[in-house]
Amino acid sequence: MTATHARLEVVLAAAKRLLGARQDQMVTVEEWAGLARAVAACTGGRTADLLTERDLEQIAEEPPLPWDEAVDGPLPEIDED
């Protein structure tokens, strides 16, 4: 897969948000998902493959983050007690 200018811009924007969050001493699952989504888009992979199981569980919890399983990969089923 060729890295296009648009794909590199997405990765750069996600990296900048992550660095900004780190400076604020906080990194949310939304920021990790954004970075993983950008890297997956550039590499032809899936977002879910770049995140931890804990991240995926957080993403699936209510309210869930916007997620496209066809593009991002599957989320774990969350048991609702």
Side-chain angles (χ1 to χ4, degrees), residues 38-56:
V39 171
C42 289
T43 62
R46 297 182 321 168
T47 307
D49 295 335
L50 300 170
L51 296 170
T52 66
E53 189 66 26
R54 185 172 144 218
D55 291 336
L56 295 172

Side-chain angles (χ1 to χ4, degrees), residues 17-80:
R17 285 192 304 274
L18 183 61
L19 289 171
R22 180 68 180 139
Q23 288 175 330
D24 293 337
Q25 299 298 315
M26 57 185 258
V27 178
T28 66
V29 71
E30 291 89 353
E31 290 157 336
W32 283 119
L35 183 59
R37 190 170 281 133
V39 171
C42 289
T43 62
R46 297 182 321 168
T47 307
D49 295 335
L50 300 170
L51 296 170
T52 66
E53 189 66 26
R54 185 172 144 218
D55 291 336
L56 295 172
E57 289 170 358
Q58 281 186 289
I59 290 167
E61 290 176 356
E62 294 294 329
L65 291 178
W67 194 264
D68 181 352
E69 287 200 2
V71 175
D72 294 319
L75 288 174
E77 301 247 349
I78 301 298
D79 292 331
E80 295 183 29

